[in-house]
């Protein structure tokens, strides 16, 4: 099934510390911006999104921009906040976005903010809540929605479904797209002693909108998806195996401890090489070396 992004697209997470480098990339198909990082003005019911000039220049040059939310709390017991949905909608409109994305997680309960993406119990009751909140969000944003699987260091003891069964139910009941984080699948499988490729192949791959690829590190016997370390060779091997049968858009996600520009460009090269795709070239590379 054709998704909202070109199937062979390559992208990167747009972040202010690396926006200068991103501006010099040739062949960048899309970028993703964290919704909560964009300032807003005006009333909550009708917010005006302030787009940094560097991001606006990318949008105006034809690079697709995907707003990516982290605070909607789709898996929370309360209905999604209308103001947050409206902000997603305004971001999509302002950025001429082909879709928006959020997480299958909850971040608040009883008025308390967790500050983290927390896993949702894979139960029929939690599934019903997710379906209702996803449907409310889809009805309010005006563009397709993709939901992302998260990395979780624990599982709820009352889980009734596997992750693949849970994600398949979400997709089938709502028609939502999947933002497949391949690094998160790797982290969860590694920490639980499972085969990450087998876990990937069980997912509803026909509804993938795009994929995140990120780095992580081992700490105290657990693998942590940090977004602050280079992509491990095992994740790149997983990408190569998976995209052989599933030509899907791929995106480098980096959220801190940014390496020198050449190293970041090498990570983009590693993704394109793993996927056997034309690389994202950079006028920057000629300047930096």
């Amino acid at each position: 099934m054709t998704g909202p992004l070109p199937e062979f697209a390559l992208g990167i997470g747009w972040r202010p510390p690396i926006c200068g480098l991103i501006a010099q990339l040739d062949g960048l198909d899309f970028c993703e911006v964290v919704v909560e990082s964009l300032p807003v003005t005006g009333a909550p019911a009708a917010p005006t999104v302030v787009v940094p000039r560097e991001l606006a220049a990318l949008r105006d040059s034809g690079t697709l921009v995907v707003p990516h939310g982290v605070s909607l709390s789709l898996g929370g017991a309360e209905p999604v906040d209308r103001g947050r949905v409206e902000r997603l909608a305004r971001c999509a409109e302002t950025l001429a976005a082909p879709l928006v994305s959020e997480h299958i997680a909850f971040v608040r309960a009883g008025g308390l903010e967790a500050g983290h993406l927390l896993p949702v119990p894979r139960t029929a009751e939690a599934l019903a809540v997710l379906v209702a909140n996803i449907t409310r969000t889809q009805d309010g944003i005006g563009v397709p929605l993709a939901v992302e699987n998260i990395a979780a260091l624990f599982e709820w003891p009352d889980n009734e479904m596997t992750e693949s069964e849970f994600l398949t139910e979400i997709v089938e009941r709502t028609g939502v797209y999947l933002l497949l984080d391949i690094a998160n699948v790797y982290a969860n499988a590694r920490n639980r002693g499972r085969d990450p490729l087998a876990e990937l192949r069980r997912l509803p791959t026909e509804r993938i909108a795009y994929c995140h690829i990120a780095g992580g590190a081992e700490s105290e016997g657990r693998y942590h998806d940090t977004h602050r370390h280079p992509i491990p060779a095992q994740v790149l091997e997983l990408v190569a195996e998976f995209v052989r049968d599933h030509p899907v858009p791929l995106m480098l996600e980096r959220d801190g401890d940014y390496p020198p520009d050449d190293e970041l460009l090498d990570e983009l090269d590693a993704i394109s090489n793993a996927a056997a795709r034309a690389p994202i070239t950079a006028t920057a590379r000629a300047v930096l070396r």
Side-chain angles (χ1 to χ4, degrees):
M1 180 173 184
T2 302
L5 294 171
E7 63 182 14
F8 293 105
L10 293 172
I12 191 170
W14 189 92
R15 307 292 185 262
I18 56 174
C19 69
L21 172 62
I22 294 173
Q24 300 177 73
L25 297 177
D26 295 323
L28 183 70
D29 297 301
F30 73 102
C31 66
E32 178 194 83
V33 61
V34 175
V35 169
E36 289 77 5
S37 72
L38 298 177
V40 295
T41 60
T48 298
V49 179
V50 180
V51 180
R53 60 181 178 83
E54 297 91 348
L55 185 60
L58 270 181
R59 174 201 61 196
D60 296 342
S61 69
T63 300
L64 299 173
V65 182
V66 178
H68 182 59
V70 297
S71 65
L72 195 54
S73 201
L74 288 170
E78 304 88 356
V80 286
D81 180 77
R82 288 185 179 180
R84 295 179 190 273
V85 174
E86 179 62 24
R87 183 171 179 175
L88 277 177
R90 291 303 175 100
C91 283
E93 180 182 12
T94 303
L95 294 168
L99 77 158
V100 300
S101 56
E102 248 289 357
H103 299 82
I104 301 172
F106 71 96
V107 299
R108 71 184 62 84
L112 297 177
E113 296 285 339
H116 296 281
L117 297 168
L118 298 173
V120 177
R122 296 194 296 271
T123 63
E125 184 179 15
L127 176 63
V129 169
L130 263 168
V131 167
N133 279 333
I134 288 171
T135 300
R136 291 186 186 104
T137 303
Q138 288 174 313
D139 290 344
I141 58 177
V143 296
L145 173 67
V147 291
E148 179 182 0
N149 57 302
I150 69 168
L153 292 176
F154 70 92
E155 289 201 335
W156 294 97
D158 56 349
N159 281 343
E160 299 167 358
M161 290 170 257
T162 65
E163 184 170 30
S164 60
E165 291 169 340
F166 196 64
L167 292 177
T168 298
E169 286 290 331
I170 291 171
V171 165
E172 290 183 350
R173 295 191 189 193
T174 65
V176 75
Y177 282 97
L178 179 63
L179 163 48
L180 175 59
D181 192 312
I182 293 177
N184 286 350
V185 172
Y186 171 77
N188 290 340
R190 175 167 169 171
N191 289 331
R192 292 164 177 75
R194 298 172 185 162
D195 178 358
L197 184 58
E199 295 293 303
L200 274 177
R201 287 175 170 164
R202 292 189 184 102
L203 299 177
T205 54
E206 73 282 355
R207 291 297 293 178
I208 294 175
Y210 64 107
C211 297
H212 278 173
I213 304 167
E218 187 89 23
S219 177
E220 298 180 352
R222 306 281 282 177
Y223 181 82
H224 295 262
D225 174 55
T226 64
H227 298 183
R228 293 173 176 267
H229 292 82
I231 304 168
Q234 299 95 321
V235 171
L236 290 170
E237 291 167 6
L238 193 58
V239 170
E241 287 287 338
F242 183 69
V243 302
R244 190 171 298 158
D245 300 318
H246 304 91
V248 290
L250 303 172
M251 192 201 97
L252 172 63
E253 189 177 29
R254 186 86 180 213
D255 290 320
D257 294 339
Y258 299 103
D261 288 349
D262 265 8
E263 292 182 24
L264 203 59
L265 291 167
D266 287 341
E267 284 209 273
L268 286 168
D269 282 348
I271 292 172
S272 61
N273 288 338
R277 297 181 188 175
I280 295 173
T281 58
T283 53
R285 188 178 288 272
V287 173
L288 293 165
R289 287 182 171 171

